[in-house]
Amino acid sequence: SLKIIESKENMLFYDYYKKENGYKKLFSALDIILNHYASNQKIYVEAKKEYKTLIEQREGLYNNFKKVNANTFARKLISLRYDKVFLPQINELEKTNYLKQHFFDDVDFSDVSLINSDALHKKIIAYMDLYAMPTYTQHELEDSFIKASDVIIPRTKSNKEMYEYVLNFLVNGLESFKLESVLNHIATTYTVETSCSNEARKTALQKALDSRKISMTGVKAPEIIMKDVNEKEIKLSQINADNTL
């Protein structure tokens, strides 16, 4: 059996998150003050100032970790999990707009070592969530998810394996929520490359996209040839009827 004696990567990862969790506790404590006191009170002003100092310290910790541990897998995971903390005066719309533009700044989609990592999955899901508003109708939600997909998928095209992996991850997720117009958009906009290291995934993904193209409203149905009860061969294209079962 395998016995892990020591892991430098784990030590780096958990040492960083011990400090990260310390910052989160401090931010939570300051949030209580900022939500409880009026903005003209001294305790509020001091808490806001401390909040800014902590943000700068936390960003410094992250940037230094990236520099010192640039080639480690721990750094890659931390970059995927890193979430920006905003100053209290920044409203939700401003936060969302910023994140939509900068969410993947530190993610290298050409790095196939990220494939199958839980951190990558959560990063993609979290980005899609930025485009989901509670007030949206189903149609508005699907239109918004199309925009999100058109940000994520092109970023992965520098590596065929990553491209097909992310495409497959999105298609499977969207299918589970029956987001038909988003799936149809992906099927008609993106294709599976002809060469792929994972042929089984490529074939399954291509079949899923092709079948969706065929079944889309307004698309001409493929030719179907079969025999009737009298063993006479008939073609779907030869049937002249408003509806065919």
Side-chain angles (χ1 to χ4, degrees), residues 236 239-245:
L236 177 63
I239 299 174
N240 185 19
D242 293 333
N243 297 291
T244 304
L245 179 62

Side-chain angles (χ1 to χ4, degrees), residues 19-53:
K19 297 172 183 175
E20 170 70 2
N21 289 334
Y23 278 113
K24 287 187 175 181
K25 289 178 182 178
L26 291 172
F27 284 127
S28 295
L30 290 172
D31 282 334
I32 293 172
I33 295 173
L34 294 170
N35 292 328
H36 183 74
Y37 292 93
S39 60
N40 61 347
Q41 291 184 275
K42 183 179 179 181
I43 190 172
Y44 180 96
V45 175
E46 290 177 349
K48 185 177 175 182
K49 182 179 179 181
E50 180 63 17
Y51 211 100
K52 182 182 180 193
T53 300

Side-chain angles (χ1 to χ4, degrees), residues 157-192:
K157 283 194 168 184
S158 61
N159 183 281
K160 290 180 181 179
E161 188 176 356
M162 179 64 81
Y163 169 73
E164 287 166 7
Y165 178 81
V166 171
L167 196 61
N168 187 64
F169 178 74
L170 285 172
V171 167
N172 288 338
L174 293 165
E175 282 184 337
S176 67
F177 288 101
K178 310 294 184 185
L179 297 170
E180 296 299 318
S181 65
V182 191
L183 288 162
N184 292 341
H185 171 78
I186 290 175
T188 56
T189 306
Y190 303 102
T191 58
V192 181

Side-chain angles (χ1 to χ4, degrees), residues 37 103 110 127 138 154 194:
Y37 292 93
F103 203 75
S110 67
Y127 187 76
Q138 180 73 10
T194 54

Side-chain angles (χ1 to χ4, degrees), residues 222-239:
E223 183 66 286
I224 298 175
I225 302 174
M226 59 191 303
K227 292 182 179 180
D228 64 13
V229 291
N230 298 315
E231 293 299 309
K232 180 182 178 182
E233 189 177 87
I234 57 173
K235 295 181 179 181
L236 177 63
S237 60
Q238 293 174 337
I239 299 174

Side-chain angles (χ1 to χ4, degrees), residues 95-144:
K95 291 178 186 178
T96 300
N97 288 338
Y98 178 90
L99 290 173
K100 284 180 178 180
Q101 295 295 320
H102 300 282
F103 203 75
F104 297 114
D105 283 358
D106 286 341
V107 179
D108 180 6
F109 279 108
S110 67
D111 186 355
V112 295
S113 70
L114 300 177
I115 287 177
N116 291 319
S117 70
D118 185 54
L120 178 60
H121 297 166
K122 288 181 177 178
K123 190 76 172 177
I124 293 171
I125 293 169
Y127 187 76
M128 297 293 286
D129 282 344
L130 292 173
Y131 287 77
M133 300 294 289
T135 57
Y136 278 173
T137 63
Q138 180 73 10
H139 177 73
E140 290 172 329
L141 180 64
E142 295 196 30
D143 281 350
S144 193

